[in-house]
């Protein structure tokens, strides 16, 4: 309730700021028409300020789904390809961490497994901040990288894939009833790269929801209790999204096919050779500055996807 109250108060504040900016611009426009030269400079500044506020308002309209205000839980898994694919997964991990930093979001790693030689075998992390899920939900899908592999001594071009899954963190907002008898809880030793044990106790936890077959695990913390809490948070998010997906046949099909990490299924391609371009295959949005995108500058892709999704929803 407090979060909802705070969100409504922010919307009222934004509306008043928009109204005030429009009135100010009208006043400067009147003075400019009367020949006041200084008014032209202020009018230009007011117009730019109003433009930015309108863009923020547009985003608020696009983020109208019941889960958009929630935090996000993100899973990243490399496709086939060993070290090359695992390195690509770690590049995506860094990209989202940088994006979160630019947005002043907080990131909490819930589960992590390092690659055998380099990169990441899997990672699950939580992104906390205003509308985190709303902004990041469009990142769900297969991401493709084309580059000259740093792991290939022959200098050949490689194509790598990684899957990104984005879930709304509903734990604090919605009461999800999970029966104890529906859970199978396994504990095991956490392990790192090369199979070496992080510690000698069975602190890692894997929870299976037997009726749905949905699994969540965590081995990032040294405490079994902390790992169990994190695994339950992930499980609740996956169960909540699973139940939501059953309301929509398209989402259900998407959920069933999310493990297909291969050609033809990508949502975005990051090309580093023979030319440099990042292209989103849904909104057709493009950026030539690949390094900026990999440094977390995703606002263009996120905005264009939200507009695309809004248009598709209205067509339906």
């Amino acid at each position: 309730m407090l979060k909802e109250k705070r969100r409504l108060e922010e919307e009222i504040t934004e509306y008043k700021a928009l109204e005030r900016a429009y009135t100010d611009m009208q006043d400067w426009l009147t003075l400019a028409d009367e020949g006041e030269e200084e008014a032209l400079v202020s009018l230009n500044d007011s117009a730019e300020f109003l433009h930015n506020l309108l863009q923020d308002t547009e985003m608020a309209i696009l983020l109208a789904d019941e889960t958009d205000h929630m935090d996000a839980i993100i899973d990243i898994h490399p496709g086939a390809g060993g070290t090359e694919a695992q390195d690509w997964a770690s590049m995506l991990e860094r990209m989202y961490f940088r994006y979160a930093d630019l947005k002043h979001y907080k990131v909490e790693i819930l589960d992590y497994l390092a690659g055998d030689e380099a990169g990441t075998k899997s990672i699950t992390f939580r992104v906390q901040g205003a509308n985190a899920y709303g902004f990041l939900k469009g990142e769900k899908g297969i991401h493709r990288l084309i580059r000259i592999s740093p792991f290939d001594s022959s200098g050949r071009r490689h194509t790598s894939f990684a899957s990104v899954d984005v879930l709304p963190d509903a734990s604090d907002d919605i009461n999800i009833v999970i029966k104890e008898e529906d859970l199978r809880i396994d504990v095991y030793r956490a392990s790192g790269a090369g199979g070496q044990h992080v510690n000698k106790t069975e602190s890692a936890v894997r929870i299976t929801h037997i009726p749905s077959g949905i699994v969540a695990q965590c081995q990032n913390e040294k405490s079994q209790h902390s790992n169990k809490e994190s695994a339950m948070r992930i499980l609740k998010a996956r169960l909540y999204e699973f139940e939501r997906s059953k309301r929509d046949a398209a989402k259900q099909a998407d959920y069933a096919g999310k493990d297909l990490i291969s050609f033809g299924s990508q949502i975005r391609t990051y090309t580093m050779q023979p030319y440099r371009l990042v292209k989103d295959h849904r909104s057709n949005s493009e950026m030539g500055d690949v390094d900026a995108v990999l440094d977390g500058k995703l606002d263009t892709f996120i905005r264009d996807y939200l507009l695309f999704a809004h248009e598709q929803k209205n067509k339906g």
Side-chain angles (χ1 to χ4, degrees):
M1 289 297 292
L2 286 175
K3 185 180 287 188
E4 178 68 11
K5 179 176 179 291
R6 188 163 55 249
R7 185 178 67 84
L8 291 172
E9 288 174 344
E10 288 173 356
E11 287 184 5
I12 293 171
T13 301
E14 289 167 3
Y15 173 78
K16 288 181 176 178
L18 190 64
E19 187 178 42
R20 188 165 53 252
Y22 176 75
T23 302
D24 288 347
M25 194 183 75
Q26 291 293 100
D27 292 341
W28 286 118
L29 183 60
T30 301
L31 290 172
D33 286 340
E34 293 174 356
E36 294 280 349
E37 292 186 10
E38 293 182 1
L40 288 173
V41 177
S42 297
L43 176 62
N44 184 63
D45 292 341
S46 295
E48 185 178 353
F49 182 66
L50 180 60
H51 173 73
N52 292 333
L53 281 179
L54 284 170
Q55 282 197 324
D56 292 341
T57 303
E58 179 186 55
M59 293 303 294
I61 293 171
L62 294 173
L63 298 175
D65 190 80
E66 62 180 343
T67 57
D68 284 342
H69 68 283
M70 296 180 183
D71 296 333
I73 292 178
I74 298 180
D75 284 320
I76 301 176
H77 294 277
T83 301
E84 177 69 29
Q86 290 169 17
D87 186 56
W88 173 223
S90 70
M91 290 169 67
L92 287 172
E93 170 194 329
R94 178 185 178 276
M95 181 179 78
Y96 292 122
F97 277 41
R98 290 289 298 121
Y99 172 77
D101 186 53
L102 292 171
K103 295 285 286 185
H104 304 292
Y105 287 164
K106 179 183 176 182
V107 175
E108 176 189 5
I109 297 176
L110 301 176
D111 189 41
Y112 175 77
L113 184 60
D116 294 324
E117 298 177 23
T120 301
K121 273 189 176 180
S122 68
I123 184 169
T124 303
F125 55 95
R126 179 188 183 198
V127 181
Q128 298 172 267
N131 297 318
Y133 176 71
F135 285 122
L136 289 166
K137 63 184 179 183
E139 296 301 301
K140 178 177 180 177
I142 308 305
H143 295 246
R144 177 173 69 169
L145 173 69
I146 301 172
R147 66 170 176 175
I148 302 296
S149 172
F151 305 100
D152 187 335
S153 57
S154 301
R156 292 173 294 184
R157 194 162 69 241
H158 283 245
T159 299
S160 304
F161 297 90
S163 71
V164 176
D165 198 12
V166 186
L167 304 168
D169 183 9
S171 294
D172 297 330
D173 295 84
I174 295 174
N175 184 27
I176 301 173
V177 178
I178 301 177
K179 297 178 182 178
E180 196 72 31
E181 60 266 27
D182 288 340
L183 300 178
R184 183 176 71 243
I185 301 176
D186 301 306
V187 294
Y188 56 99
R189 288 187 180 183
S191 60
Q196 295 185 7
H197 298 305
V198 173
N199 55 60
K200 296 182 180 181
T201 62
E202 294 186 330
S203 60
V205 177
R206 181 187 298 111
I207 303 177
T208 304
H209 184 252
I210 298 169
S212 66
I214 292 175
V215 179
Q217 64 183 35
C218 183
Q219 62 170 346
N220 197 56
E221 303 292 336
K222 292 183 179 181
S223 160
Q224 185 183 116
H225 176 73
S226 297
N227 282 329
K228 184 178 178 181
E229 280 190 350
S230 294
M232 280 299 297
R233 177 176 286 275
I234 297 168
L235 181 66
K236 285 181 179 180
R238 289 178 178 165
L239 283 172
Y240 176 67
E241 181 67 3
F242 179 69
E243 290 301 320
R244 286 182 73 238
S245 72
K246 290 198 292 188
R247 300 183 225 160
D248 187 307
K251 286 184 180 178
Q252 192 172 11
D254 178 57
Y255 188 92
K258 69 181 178 66
D259 291 327
L260 181 63
I261 312 177
S262 61
F263 285 96
S265 58
Q266 64 273 359
I267 62 164
R268 192 179 298 149
T269 297
Y270 307 70
T271 304
M272 302 183 78
Q273 278 94 14
Y275 53 89
R276 298 180 69 81
L277 183 72
V278 181
K279 179 179 177 65
D280 193 288
H281 302 289
R282 302 158 301 178
S283 65
N284 288 321
S285 183
E286 296 181 351
M287 280 187 66
D289 193 344
V290 182
D291 292 332
V293 175
L294 292 175
D295 277 337
K297 295 180 180 177
L298 299 172
D299 285 338
T300 297
F301 289 111
I302 288 172
R303 180 179 179 274
D304 289 350
Y305 169 77
L306 289 172
L307 287 169
F308 165 78
H310 185 69
E311 290 173 3
Q312 294 300 308
K313 184 178 180 180
N314 286 340
K315 284 181 182 178

